[in-house]
Amino acid sequence: MFAIKELFGSKFKFSLIALAIGLVVSLTMVTSAMSEGLLTGMSGAKSRLDADALVFQRDTYPTIERSILSADDLDAVAGTSGIAGAYGVGHTYASVGSVDEPFDVRVFGLGGSMDQLPIIEGRAASGHDEAVLDATAELDGVEIGDTITLTPMDASLKVVGFTEGRRYVMVPTVWVDLETWEALHLAALLGAGDDGEQAGEVAAARMAEQFSGSASVAAIDLEPGTTIEEVQRGLGDAYRVAGIQDAADAGNGMPEMILAVNGIQGVSVVIGALLVGVFFYITTLHKTSQIAAIKAIGASNAYLYRDLLLQITVLVAIATVLGTVLALGAGAGMPPMMAFDPDPRRWAVAVLAIFGTAYVGSLFSLRSILKIDPATALGRTSA
Amino acid sequence: MLAINDITKTYGSGRTQVTALDQVSFRLGEGKLLAMIGPSGSGKTTLVSIIAGLLTPTSGEVIIDGHPLHLRSSADAARYRRETVGIVFQEHHLVPYLTARDNLLLVPHLSGRITREDRTRADDLLESFGLADRVSHRPALLSGGERQRVAIARALMNTPTIMLVDEPTASLDTERGFQVVEMLKDQVHERGMTCVMVTHDMRMAEHADERLMLRDGRVVAG
């Protein structure tokens, strides 16, 4: 095909074009991944729980921080029709005070398997007083094997592994089993109850009894064909059920942030795609006399359209590969605190938009060329 | 035999209407080279574009070997140009990223596929134009005269019945211009084609078998 010969015949020119488009592709991908990373940093701990939905205490949705379900509540949830499985998830505030510069964390207790956390370094927590931390805690000086002290509960945990993509409200998370969380949660409440003084033994015992077997929310798996609405009806007004993604996208300013992020991604894709479309419109127009000459020696319009589409497909495909490599390289070079979370679907949308406008831009341009007087197209100024 | 019968071509309408050709007629037999002369804006290129099927006349008809030219679609026109017409442009319009040989092979490529015979024919044509050592050169590496000879060779690639040549010597010095016209004339006589050559240059026109002068879209001498 002569379109391909043109690519190889003008390597430098087309390399520059591919580089320019590749940079546009890369820009839209990096913007998309960084804004997705921002959302993951806000709610990754919630959105990546291994469950279909979360069950909150009445009137607390979407604030996991305020919700509390007793052991009886958890039993009631687990026994509800349409729920295939349920486990408690606990949440509490804490700070890591055993490092040079103390930092805030969110402690999550998992009643389900700890295996749902992807371990990128170390191992999964297997017992009491062991914890897996989000890898961003490494930036605050925490290492595998360290024993960290959480305040205000003054509890010690051994760091046995790091996971990723599990931050919450942009701070690192500490993952422990639900029993450990219960103890930490109780200690936090008692410690905060009387300005640092130990609560009375009676009050402590009463609270321990009250919180025994509790969790903040219940993570549930639905039976096939069961909807969240059906489970909500089954549980009644004492609880609020939300899909895992809906729960993650609610609260903590998430709806506003999602709107802003979608706006940023949308604008970058639209501008990137338009830029590529206009670019191809202009580069095709620059070939007016060449296209007119090939038409004059017998090329049909169909041939010219086909040839142009083939050339653009090859060129944009090369640019897409280049742009993807650049974007992934940029992501790999970013420090963990800089959120970078590629979403293949959003990248695919950006690439499809760029392919689409590249086709539209050049086909519109070719259509214009084929409509004008051939003498003019061939560069004649006199008739 | 090429016959042009009362060809009129107008652009626009109403008060802005411009008549590029006004009832132009002539006949040209096989093996004849016609020089079409006229000042800028006289309608020469418009007439050549109509004969080439690139433009449709407002009225009148083009008759080739006794058959009126009826191009019902752009695909029809493209096929007509591939099979019947050879065109040489003023600025050669060789494809810059193709070698001299590939520029010639573009013609059979547009017809479907390139055969071994096509490759042999392309090499033979280039050799007959003294370009045997330039087959693998791209246009940028050829001189002006060489480019124009490649363009003529390309126009001959499909063994055309009608050859249309637009200002073939415009970018050449006088001596090379004469060489190109002589070469063209030889090919026309040898192959029995009908050739219309547009030129501004009366000295070049004198080498043609016949001459036709256009002014303001009308035949004023011929």
Side-chain angles (χ1 to χ4, degrees), chain B residues 127-146:
Chain B
E127 189 179 351
S128 70
F129 281 92
L131 295 163
D133 58 343
R134 293 286 189 270
V135 291
S136 298
H137 286 56
R138 290 194 187 157
L141 299 174
L142 300 173
S143 68
E146 287 172 336

Side-chain angles (χ1 to χ4, degrees), chain B residues 56-222:
Chain B
T56 307
T58 308
S59 64
E61 59 184 359
V62 176
I63 296 173
I64 298 165
D65 293 336
H67 303 290
L69 183 61
H70 288 302
L71 303 173
R72 289 181 296 276
S73 64
S74 66
D76 259 5
R79 188 165 47 250
Y80 161 69
R81 285 193 293 276
R82 283 198 303 270
E83 294 173 357
T84 311
V85 183
I87 302 178
V88 181
F89 308 101
Q90 179 182 4
E91 299 293 339
H92 67 76
H93 282 298
L94 296 174
V95 181
Y97 53 84
L98 297 180
T99 62
R101 180 196 280 126
D102 283 344
N103 263 286
L104 268 63
L105 292 175
L106 181 59
V107 177
H109 168 73
L110 293 175
S111 296
R113 61 190 288 266
I114 299 168
T115 63
R116 185 179 297 174
E117 289 72 31
D118 293 326
R119 293 180 200 282
T120 306
R121 178 167 169 71
D123 287 346
D124 289 347
L125 273 169
L126 288 170
E127 189 179 351
S128 70
F129 281 92
L131 295 163
D133 58 343
R134 293 286 189 270
V135 291
S136 298
H137 286 56
R138 290 194 187 157
L141 299 174
L142 300 173
S143 68
E146 287 172 336
R147 286 177 205 162
Q148 205 54 283
R149 279 184 278 159
V150 173
I152 293 171
R154 181 175 68 180
L156 293 168
M157 192 62 196
N158 59 345
T159 332
T161 308
I162 296 167
M163 184 92 163
L164 302 169
V165 188
D166 191 1
E167 299 278 11
T169 61
S171 57
L172 304 178
D173 59 43
T174 309
E175 188 182 343
R176 287 185 192 282
F178 279 131
Q179 282 176 1
V180 165
V181 172
E182 280 303 322
M183 202 173 278
L184 190 60
K185 191 175 168 183
D186 289 346
Q187 292 288 334
V188 169
H189 290 167
E190 190 180 306
R191 296 167 193 269
M193 295 179 295
T194 303
C195 179
V196 177
M197 176 179 76
V198 171
T199 183
H200 278 97
D201 193 333
M202 280 304 294
R203 291 170 303 173
M204 299 297 168
E206 281 168 8
H207 284 253
D209 301 309
E210 296 180 25
R211 280 158 290 280
L212 183 83
M213 180 168 279
L214 286 180
R215 183 173 294 145
D216 297 330
R218 292 181 179 178
V219 176
V220 292

